[in-house]
Amino acid sequence: MSRFLEVEGMTAGYGAVTVLRNISLYVDHGENVGLFGPNGHGKTTLLRTLSGLMRAAMGKVRFDGQDISRARPWEIVGLGMVQAQQGNTLFGEMEIAETLELAAFNRRAREKAAANLDRIYTLFPRLAERKRQKAKTLSGGERQMLSIGAALMCAPRLLLLDEPTLGLSPRLKEELAEALRAISQDVPLVVVEQDVELLLALSNRLYLIEHGEVQREIGKDNAPDHQEIMDMYFGEHA
Amino acid sequence: MDTLISTLLSGVVLGALYALMASGLSLVWTTLGVFNFAHGALMTIGAFVAWTVSEAVGLGLPAGVVAGVASAALLGVVVEYLLIRPFYGRPNMLLITVMTTLAGMIILEKGAQMIWGARLKQLPRLIDGEVSIFGAVISAHEALIIVVAPLILLALWQFTTRTYLGRSLRAVGQNQDAAALLGINVSFTFALAFGLGAALAGLTGVLLGGIRFITPSLGAEPLVKAMIVVIFGGLGSLGATVGAAFVIGLAEAFLVLTLGLYWTPFALFLGLIAVLIFRPNGLFGRV
Ligand SMILES: Nc1ncnc2c1ncn2[C@@H]1O[C@H](COP(=O)(O)OP(=O)(O)OP(=O)(O)O)[C@@H](O)[C@H]1O
Ligand SMILES: [Mg+2]
C-alpha cells in the first residue's frame, strides 16, 4: 500500500527566492508527523505548497495515491487534506457560527456538517458561547480555535496545523493542547509546533526543517532527548 | 402636498434603480476589490438585447427581460475572464483593472452603437396603466420598480448570508487564502460575483428602458450614480449600499424640485464631498 502523503524532491519559493530545497518526506497511514525548526526556515512555505496555495518549482506531492502537485487548493481540500493556517483570522466580518457552517463547503463535508458542528462546539466550548460574535472581535486563542474548528468542518482525512498554539497564554495553550490531543485520536495530523512537549505528545515522527531542507528525521528508535530538540529549534546543532 | 408626494415617489423610484445598479457594483467591489467601469455598459447591452428579443424579433416582453438579464450576466463573466482574470495577484491590480474595465466600457458602448445604431429605442412598460398613491399618480411600471427592486435585493441578501455559494462570495472578499483553504474555488467565485453583478445591471437596464430612451450611452449616468452610491455608502455591506441608494435618490428628487436639473449634480457631489470629510468611511461606514 502506498504512503498516505508523500513529498518527493520538492523545491519552492517566492519569485526568484528559493525557500524549500529538495524536500522529501512522507506520512504513513495511522501516524502523526511533527515538523519543527528555527523561525523563517520554511515550515509555513512547505504547508502552503502542500495545500496548493503556491506551486512547487520542482518535485512531486502524492496524497492517498493521487498526484496533487498541480492541484488547486479547493481540489486538495475536496480530497481531504485540509490546513489550519498560522495566525489565521479567517473572515473578520463573519460570525463564528456562520464561518463554521460555511467551512463545510466541499461535498464530503456537507453530509457530516451537523455532526461535525456538534463535535467542534464540544471540543471548544468557548466557540459555542460566542456563536454570534464576529471573527475580528475574537481573542488570539479564540481565533486559533475557530481556525481549527473551520478546518475540522472540512471533514479532513489529514489535518495540517501550522503553529496552533503560537502566542497563547499558558492557560489557553493547555486548553487548546487538550483539544488537539482529542482531535489526533481520530484525524491524522501534520503539525508545526514550537512547544516541544506538545509536539512530542502529538506526533509519532518528527522532521527537522532547516534552511528549507529536511535536516533530520526523528523516529521512536533514534529519539533525541528534550534538550537536544530544544537546541535544534534554535539552530544550534549546525 | 401633491408635489411633495410625487417628488417623494420619484425619489423612491430613483433610489430603487440606483440600489439595483449599485448593489451589483458593490458585489464586485467587495468580492474582488475591483471597480468595474464597464458596469454601465453591461446595463446598456441588457436593455438593447431585451429590446431586440422583445420588439425586433417579437418574442414578447417577458422573453426580452430574461434575455436582457441573461446576456448581461454572460457578458459580465466574459469581462471578468478577459479583462480582470489575467491580472489577479498583481500588486497594482486595482489600477490596472480601472484601465481594462474602462477599455471594456468603451468597447461595449461602441459595439452597441455598431449593432443597434444611434437611433433611439424604447422598451414597452412592464405593465400598463397608472397607480395613484396618496393622491399622486405614477405609472404602474414605476410602481412595479418600487416593489420589485427591494424583493430582488432581499433575495440577494438572503443568498449572500444563508447559502454556501453566497457566503463564499463574502469569504473570498475578506480573505482569499483562507477561503481557498476551506475548499472554495476562488476563481469560480470571482466569475460568479461578476455574473451576478452584471445580471443586476442588466435588470436595471431593462427597467430603465421602459422609462428612458435606450441609447449606447444609456448606462453612463447610472454608472456615475452607482459609484457615488457605493462610495457614499462606505464601500461595504449590501445594506449600506441600498440605504445610500435611497438617500441619494430622494436627495436627487428634492434637489431637482428645488434647485432644478442644472444644479442638481453639482449639489449631489458637494454633498458627497461633505459626507466624506466628516465620515471618511461613508455615510454608513464605521468611523
Ligand atoms: N510572501 C513571501 N514573499 C517572499 N518571501 C517570503 C514570503 N513568505 C515567506 N517568505 C520567506 O520565506 C522564508 C521561510 O518563511 P516561512 O514562513 O516558511 O518560515 P517558517 O519556518 O514558517 O517560520 P516561522 O517559524 O517563523 O513561522 C523566510 O525567509 C521568509 O522571509
Ligand atoms: Mg511559519
Side-chain angles (χ1 to χ4, degrees), chain A:
Chain A
M1 196 159 151
S2 66
R3 303 203 187 273
F4 198 24
L5 176 69
E6 188 162 23
V7 179
E8 254 180 63
M10 178 198 278
T11 294
Y14 304 91
V17 185
T18 301
V19 174
L20 303 176
R21 290 181 192 82
N22 198 28
I23 294 246
S24 294
L25 48 81
Y26 65 88
V27 178
D28 265 333
H29 289 275
E31 68 168 350
N32 297 326
V33 166
L35 303 175
F36 72 110
N39 289 130
H41 280 229
K43 304 176 296 291
T44 296
T45 306
L46 173 59
L47 293 197
R48 285 176 63 85
T49 313
L50 288 178
S51 282
L53 289 177
M54 336 178 9
R55 199 151 271 183
M58 270 185 284
K60 272 218 156 24
V61 183
R62 299 172 68 79
F63 176 64
D64 201 21
Q66 286 200 53
D67 186 345
I68 57 163
S69 318
R70 313 205 73 80
R72 315 287 305 279
W74 57 275
E75 295 168 327
I76 294 170
V77 173
L79 290 172
M81 189 159 83
V82 180
Q83 178 180 174
Q85 271 181 298
Q86 178 174 347
N88 189 2
T89 40
L90 291 172
F91 318 112
E93 300 292 334
M94 251 189 226
E95 295 167 359
I96 287 183
E98 200 182 10
T99 307
L100 291 175
E101 284 163 30
L102 165 67
F105 195 81
N106 74 76
R107 201 170 301 147
R108 256 175 343 98
R110 285 190 204 190
E111 293 162 15
K112 306 176 198 149
N116 279 339
L117 195 61
D118 281 347
R119 179 164 157 249
I120 287 156
Y121 284 143
T122 316
L123 274 171
F124 302 114
R126 276 166 189 272
L127 295 184
E129 289 157 17
R130 293 173 171 74
K131 287 180 191 173
R132 300 259 80 89
Q133 204 171 316
K134 285 187 177 178
K136 67 175 180 191
T137 66
L138 298 178
S139 75
E142 290 156 2
R143 276 178 205 193
Q144 226 18 283
M145 292 172 187
L146 179 59
S147 170
I148 294 167
L152 287 174
M153 285 303 289
C154 298
R157 298 169 59 225
L158 177 64
L159 182 58
L160 316 180
L161 295 172
D162 197 353
E163 310 222 13
T165 70
L166 187 70
L168 301 189
S169 71
R171 207 171 57 85
L172 263 180
K173 207 169 187 168
E174 193 34 55
E175 211 176 309
L176 202 61
E178 197 169 316
L180 290 176
R181 281 189 287 267
I183 291 166
S184 72
Q185 297 302 306
D186 36 51
V187 187
L189 302 178
V190 171
V191 56
V192 177
E193 177 55 53
Q194 302 280 8
D195 184 319
V196 182
E197 303 292 346
L198 181 57
L199 187 71
L200 290 171
L202 288 177
S203 27
N204 309 83
R205 229 155 32 81
L206 303 176
Y207 288 101
L208 168 62
I209 309 281
E210 220 175 12
H211 302 296
E213 294 176 67
V214 174
Q215 283 292 343
R216 205 164 150 183
E217 184 189 335
I218 301 165
K220 285 275 178 265
D221 40 347
N222 61 343
D225 66 15
H226 194 274
Q227 185 54 46
E228 251 184 288
I229 291 189
M230 288 299 274
D231 289 347
M232 290 180 212
Y233 256 117
F234 301 107
E236 280 165 24
H237 87 292

